[in-house]
Amino acid sequence: MVSIDLQISWQAVVITFLIGTLGSILVCLPSLVSISKLSPAQLFRSGSPESHHKHWKPFIIACLPVIIFYALLAFWQVKSWLIGGIFLVSFTIVLAILAAAASLGLFALQQIQIESYPRLRLALRSLTRHKIGSTLCFVAIGAGSFLASIPEQIRSIVFDELYQADSDLPTPSLFLFDIQPHQVEPLKQLLIEKGSALEDLSPMVRGRMTHINGKEIEKEAEDFQRRSVNLSYRAKLSPTERIIAGEAITKPYDEASQELPKISMVWDFAEERGINLGDRITFDVQGVAVEGEIVNFREVLWTSFRPNFFISFQSGVLEEAPQTYVGIITGVPPEKRPDLQRAISQQLSNVAALDVSKSIQAVSERIEQIVWALRVIASATLIVGLVVLFAIAQSETKSRDWEVGLLKALGTSLSNVRVIVYIEFGVLCLSSIIVGMLMSLSISQVISWFVFEKVGSMDWGVLMLYTVSIFSFSFLTTVLAVARSLKQTPLALLRSV
């Protein structure tokens, strides 16, 4: 169940006040600048087809204050210039891509010659003749579709990783750590009596990285603790590891070989510290200096919740060092896990047995809270987009009264005029939604690649549901927006001149 804090902080009151007052004024500033540039002659021609959108440079300059205002507001909210900057740059890129897609689409429509379907031809020509209005509608609905879809896509990717939907390895039931060497056999015997088995038993040795290629690491305050690491050793790779660079370690260390012990390191860990293949790393293990050579880099599937280590030595090096063990138990039903944990605690009081499913559930609930918050934001953005669509559709239809009146005067029936307008806005809404959804898929896959280093799963069902729902609401909005203008007669338009 998602927990919601119903208290209102003073920060929320301040933000609401700023958005409601200063934000509203700044949002209106571009329109006020445009109005101030209008001449009386242009006002008298506003109902005619010769009306044009002018003074676009002052309009763009007037948009800068509102952009800066919301940028500073984003920085304040996230309390990080980096995260706030990433969000603003990312969303600006999304809007730019949507605007570019709209421009390319309108250019492509201008090149299309349709002779067989006059209503479709008139609808597409109307889109290309009113580029600014069409682009604004496209960006508004596309951005709303993007924000509505991307939380669901990311949620699907993260949950598949947490629950290992495409893995043959079962998720551990219990994760055991702080197992002393003399407790290994009693623990195995206890688990056999309980109908379970100890798996992936892995030694863990505490060490501190002191030198790289013979050069002592500087004892900087924030880096000092990070040099204290867990070391391990194993004869072969686990199923959740794979070598991405270098050679495999195939045999135990031979002291007579006069070679340095071989070390396998996780690639991300090495990259962060500037460590390369062939580098010599020295560790302080309980006061004893142990030097080894990096011979390969690994990738580790951390979401398997199995024992894995950033640094793994060649076997035959750390066996005599003070160490503890970690391991896992699989296949224990949820209802039997508390009894098994209790039995382990009673016989081996220092051994900790963590229920992995509860940890995954806690992470899942936190992700659900984040996704729920993103859904609220996306819904609000989509509602704003629909309001913008309504206003633009109404304004654009109003500005085309002369065109609609001309079609009626030439004998076009009201139903045909409706079909033309509905095709126009239907094509606009559907294309913007499709582009927004494709962008959400692309960005979610980019996130999956950088975070999990793999192509994530796609929730096509949710994608189709959002596409159909957003299109239905968008199309209904345009129908309501243009209904009144379509009912005007040519005579009424002439009388309004």
Side-chain angles (χ1 to χ4, degrees):
M1 180 177 292
V2 178
S3 59
I4 305 172
D5 186 5
L6 298 179
Q7 295 181 351
I8 300 177
S9 63
W10 67 269
Q11 292 95 335
V13 175
V14 172
I15 292 173
T16 303
F17 177 78
L18 288 175
I19 295 176
T21 54
L22 183 58
S24 300
I25 294 172
L26 292 176
V27 167
C28 295
L29 187 60
S31 299
L32 294 175
V33 170
S34 299
I35 293 173
S36 68
K37 297 296 181 180
L38 288 176
S39 64
Q42 287 176 305
L43 291 175
F44 283 112
R45 293 198 303 266
S46 62
S48 66
E50 288 81 14
S51 296
H52 298 282
H53 296 276
K54 296 183 178 180
H55 312 293
W56 59 272
K57 289 183 179 179
F59 178 86
I60 293 177
I61 294 174
C63 289
L64 293 179
V66 68
I67 296 174
I68 295 173
F69 170 75
Y70 282 104
L72 294 175
L73 194 61
F75 292 140
W76 180 33
Q77 279 295 96
V78 299
K79 297 179 176 61
S80 169
W81 290 99
L82 177 62
I83 297 176
I86 291 174
F87 170 78
L88 288 174
V89 170
S90 301
F91 195 64
T92 301
I93 292 174
V94 168
L95 295 180
I97 293 175
L98 287 170
S103 298
L104 289 174
L106 292 174
F107 176 77
L109 289 178
Q110 287 180 322
Q111 313 307 314
I112 297 176
Q113 299 295 330
I114 301 176
E115 302 297 338
S116 303
Y117 304 97
R119 290 183 294 188
L120 178 60
R121 182 177 70 251
L122 290 173
L124 298 182
R125 284 184 179 178
S126 182
L127 278 175
T128 57
R129 281 200 303 267
H130 304 85
K131 293 182 179 179
I132 294 181
S134 299
T135 301
L136 289 176
C137 286
F138 190 96
V139 172
I141 298 303
S145 303
F146 169 80
L147 291 175
S149 174
I150 195 167
E152 304 298 335
Q153 298 301 324
I154 294 177
R155 174 184 178 276
S156 175
I157 291 171
V158 173
F159 274 30
D160 279 352
E161 283 297 315
L162 284 177
Y163 293 101
Q164 291 298 302
D166 58 348
S167 175
D168 296 330
L169 294 174
T171 301
S173 302
L174 298 177
F175 192 100
L176 310 180
F177 52 93
D178 199 20
I179 306 170
Q180 302 300 317
H182 68 276
Q183 295 176 323
V184 172
E185 291 305 322
L187 178 60
K188 288 183 177 179
Q189 186 61 38
L190 172 63
L191 295 178
I192 291 174
E193 294 174 0
K194 296 292 183 179
S196 300
L198 185 62
E199 302 177 29
D200 286 359
L201 186 66
S202 304
M204 186 170 70
V205 179
R206 292 293 294 171
R208 187 166 58 86
M209 193 185 302
T210 59
H211 296 75
I212 299 178
N213 292 325
K215 183 178 179 181
E216 185 176 5
I217 299 174
E218 296 180 2
K219 296 182 178 180
E220 298 178 357
E222 61 181 5
D223 190 59
F224 186 78
Q225 293 296 331
R226 294 170 62 190
R227 289 188 282 113
S228 182
V229 294
N230 293 323
L231 310 175
S232 187
Y233 56 89
R234 54 179 47 159
K236 60 180 181 179
L237 294 176
S238 74
T240 58
E241 299 175 303
R242 72 181 185 94
I243 295 176
I244 59 173
E247 62 181 25
I249 301 175
T250 57
K251 58 183 180 179
Y253 176 63
D254 182 8
E255 293 185 8
S257 66
Q258 301 299 316
E259 295 181 353
L260 288 175
K262 297 179 180 180
I263 300 175
S264 176
M265 187 173 287
V266 171
W267 162 244
D268 294 336
F269 184 88
E271 183 182 33
E272 184 180 348
R273 289 156 179 78
I275 297 174
N276 301 307
L277 288 175
D279 284 353
R280 294 176 290 107
I281 312 296
T282 303
F283 295 90
D284 180 351
V285 181
Q286 301 295 319
V288 178
V290 180
E291 188 178 21
E293 180 184 354
I294 304 296
V295 297
N296 68 54
F297 292 135
R298 291 171 290 125
E299 277 186 350
V300 174
L301 183 62
W302 298 106
T303 53
S304 65
F305 296 97
R306 290 170 176 264
N308 284 298
F309 298 86
F310 288 112
I311 302 170
S312 181
F313 266 81
Q314 185 177 15
S315 60
V317 179
L318 298 177
E319 279 78 355
E320 300 302 321
Q323 57 194 269
T324 59
Y325 289 87
V326 294
I328 60 171
I329 304 172
T330 60
V332 181
E335 64 274 9
K336 293 184 178 180
R337 292 173 192 175
D339 293 336
L340 184 56
Q341 288 175 295
R342 193 177 303 110
I344 294 173
S345 177
Q346 289 174 352
Q347 185 165 334
L348 306 168
S349 58
N350 63 290
V351 177
L354 178 67
D355 190 338
V356 176
S357 63
K358 289 186 177 180
S359 300
I360 295 176
Q361 183 179 1
V363 174
S364 301
E365 289 177 354
R366 182 58 59 90
I367 293 173
E368 285 288 4
Q369 291 183 10
I370 296 173
V371 170
W372 184 88
L374 292 175
R375 284 173 184 158
V376 173
I377 296 172
S379 299
T381 305
L382 191 57
I383 291 172
V384 172
L386 292 176
V387 172
V388 172
L389 176 63
F390 182 91
I392 294 175
Q394 196 172 52
S395 174
E396 288 295 319
T397 308
K398 186 67 177 176
S399 67
R400 303 177 200 177
D401 282 348
W402 284 93
E403 298 177 20
V404 175
L406 181 60
L407 287 173
K408 292 181 178 179
L410 293 175
T412 305
S413 64
L414 177 60
S415 61
N416 281 330
V417 173
R418 280 196 181 123
V419 170
I420 293 171
V421 174
Y422 292 165
I423 290 176
E424 175 185 351
F425 284 100
V427 169
L428 186 62
C429 292
L430 184 59
S431 59
S432 63
I433 292 169
I434 291 175
V435 172
M437 293 296 179
L438 290 176
M439 287 180 62
S440 73
L441 282 177
S442 302
I443 292 181
S444 64
Q445 292 304 317
V446 170
I447 293 173
S448 175
W449 183 262
F450 277 99
V451 176
F452 301 112
E453 299 179 342
K454 59 181 288 189
V455 176
S457 61
M458 303 181 192
D459 197 334
W460 294 105
V462 171
L463 193 68
M464 290 301 300
L465 177 62
Y466 271 80
T467 300
V468 173
S469 301
I470 297 174
F471 176 76
S472 301
F473 283 112
S474 302
F475 189 72
L476 179 61
T477 300
T478 58
V479 170
L480 296 175
V482 304
R484 185 175 179 181
S485 296
L486 292 180
K487 292 180 180 179
Q488 292 199 64
T489 62
L491 181 60
L493 292 174
L494 291 173
R495 286 175 177 173
S496 65
V497 177

